[in-house]
């Protein structure tokens, strides 16, 4: 088994996914049998030995030239590594790599594709949605198996008419939290909330800022791990830098993120769409309650309960109520309930085994 992972961008959930999965595959198949192709600018987000990595220049999605260069890099790595399986991650990587296969006579390897959340399941015009579905259907002819990361992901794909014989549910998961991992050192004199992810529309970061702005209370802090990637709204930039209730931490390594999850009273996920929402699972494993939008795969982790609570609509208003009316004592009580009752039964071993069945 020789597995080549193809990526276009890994920032956020895909990096977490690969950092969990690839070390297990290296242990199982051997160091020489697993390789990744990732953007050079994002290499710090991948905690995998450099000998298992190949880099390409970051892609400008508005530049056809840089995207074609990325495709050439993909093809070069396939030729040099000679994989038995090419595992593609995300929509853009899936588009370019599989498009190139229409001009390839021989393909001595399996193609496994995972969108990590369907592009046509996001907020967009009906015309755009139909175009994306058409492209996904077309490219599926050059795909052996399509991995769906949640039941929601699978149901949406079936509803849109993708080949059901190629669709397979392989849920995300994470490793157990190290027992010795200490909580981050932050003040416990206030209610401490946590946001992890890109500061963009998909993650609902604007809804969080709206809720903070509408709340005059000073008895809380929101620790924000991540940064602006797609949207650079000047008002949002100014608020993040000037509001003392917002602690902007930038991107952090996995273990540091988990330390903040251990230290904060709750994680806030106001996402407008989520294929799976891996960060919610990480928070629960760290004993950090989650308040979420209920979108996409977020509704599948657990039934609604006090430590995994779906926010009613409108989300921004309910976030405002959470920030204003929750109490430190009440949040600690919820955390204690989570620690006593929650356990993750789906391991990284299960994920590795499920993918191996598709690879064969």
């Amino acid at each position: 088994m020789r597995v080549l992972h193809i990526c276009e961008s890994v920032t956020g959930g895909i990096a977490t996914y690969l950092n969990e999965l690839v070390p297990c595959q290296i242990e199982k198949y051997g160091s020489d049998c697993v390789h990744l192709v990732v953007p050079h600018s994002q290499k710090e987000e991948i905690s995998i030995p450099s000998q298992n990595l190949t880099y390409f220049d970051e892609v400008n999605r508005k530049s056809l030239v840089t995207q074609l260069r990325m495709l050439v890099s993909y093809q070069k790595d396939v030729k040099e590594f000679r994989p038995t399986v090419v595992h593609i991650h995300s929509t853009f990587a899936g588009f370019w790599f599989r498009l190139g296969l229409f001009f390839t006579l021989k393909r001595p390897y399996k193609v496994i594709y995972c969108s990590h959340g369907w592009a046509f399941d996001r907020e967009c015009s009906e015309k755009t949605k139909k175009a994306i579905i058409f492209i996904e259907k077309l490219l599926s002819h050059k795909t052996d198996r399509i991995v769906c990361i949640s039941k929601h992901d699978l149901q949406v794909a079936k509803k849109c008419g993708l080949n059901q014989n190629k669709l397979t549910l392989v849920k995300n998961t994470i490793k157990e939290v190290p027992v010795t991992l200490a909580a981050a050192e932050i003040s416990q004199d206030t209610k401490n909330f946590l946001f992890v992810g890109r500061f963009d529309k998909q993650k609902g970061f604007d809804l969080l800022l709206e809720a903070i702005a509408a709340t005059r209370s000073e008895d809380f802090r929101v620790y924000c791990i991540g940064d602006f990637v797609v949207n650079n709204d000047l008002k949002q930039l100014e608020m993040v830098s000037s509001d003392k209730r917002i602690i902007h931490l930038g991107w952090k390594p996995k273990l540091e993120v988990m330390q903040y999850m251990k230290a904060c009273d709750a994680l806030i996920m106001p996402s407008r769409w989520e294929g799976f929402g891996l960060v919610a699972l990480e928070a629960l494993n760290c004993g950090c309650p989650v308040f979420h939008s209920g979108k996409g795969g977020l509704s599948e982790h657990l039934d609604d309960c006090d430590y995994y609570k779906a926010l009613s609509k409108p989300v921004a208003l309910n976030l405002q109520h959470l920030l204003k009316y929750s109490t430190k004592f009440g949040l600690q009580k919820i955390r204690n309930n989570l620690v006593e009752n929650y356990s993750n039964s789906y391991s990284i071993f299960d994920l590795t085994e499920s993918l191996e069945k598709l690879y064969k």
Side-chain angles (χ1 to χ4, degrees), residues 5-20:
H5 292 277
I6 296 286
C7 308
E8 179 260 341
S9 174
V10 298
T11 297
I14 295 179
T16 301
Y17 182 89
L18 292 171
N19 286 333
E20 299 284 2

Side-chain angles (χ1 to χ4, degrees), residues 104-168:
T104 303
L105 295 177
K106 292 183 179 181
R107 178 163 65 88
Y109 50 82
K110 265 191 168 183
V111 173
I112 309 296
Y113 167 60
C114 180
S115 68
H116 291 274
W118 295 110
F120 53 74
D121 191 36
R122 302 172 182 177
E123 291 185 358
C124 58
S125 68
E126 196 63 30
K127 186 177 180 180
T128 300
K129 187 173 293 188
K130 287 181 179 179
I132 296 171
I133 292 171
F134 173 79
I135 292 170
E136 287 288 3
K137 285 182 178 179
L138 178 66
L139 295 175
S140 69
H141 293 292
K142 294 296 181 180
T143 315
D144 293 290
R145 299 304 289 267
I146 299 171
V147 174
C148 298
I149 57 177
S150 65
K151 290 179 182 177
H152 171 81
D153 223 30
L154 179 62
Q155 290 166 356
V156 168
K158 287 181 177 179
K159 185 178 179 181
C160 290
L162 291 184
N163 188 336
Q164 295 192 28
N165 294 325
K166 294 187 177 184
L167 298 173
T168 304

Side-chain angles (χ1 to χ4, degrees), residues 322-349:
L322 174 66
L323 297 173
K324 185 176 182 180
Y325 297 116
S326 61
T327 65
K328 186 78 173 179
F329 175 79
L331 291 169
Q332 286 297 323
K333 189 175 180 181
I334 292 173
R335 172 183 277 275
N336 292 338
N337 189 25
L338 165 59
V339 172
E340 289 176 10
N341 293 288
Y342 175 76
S343 63
N344 180 25
S345 59
Y346 185 67
S347 70
I348 191 66
F349 173 79

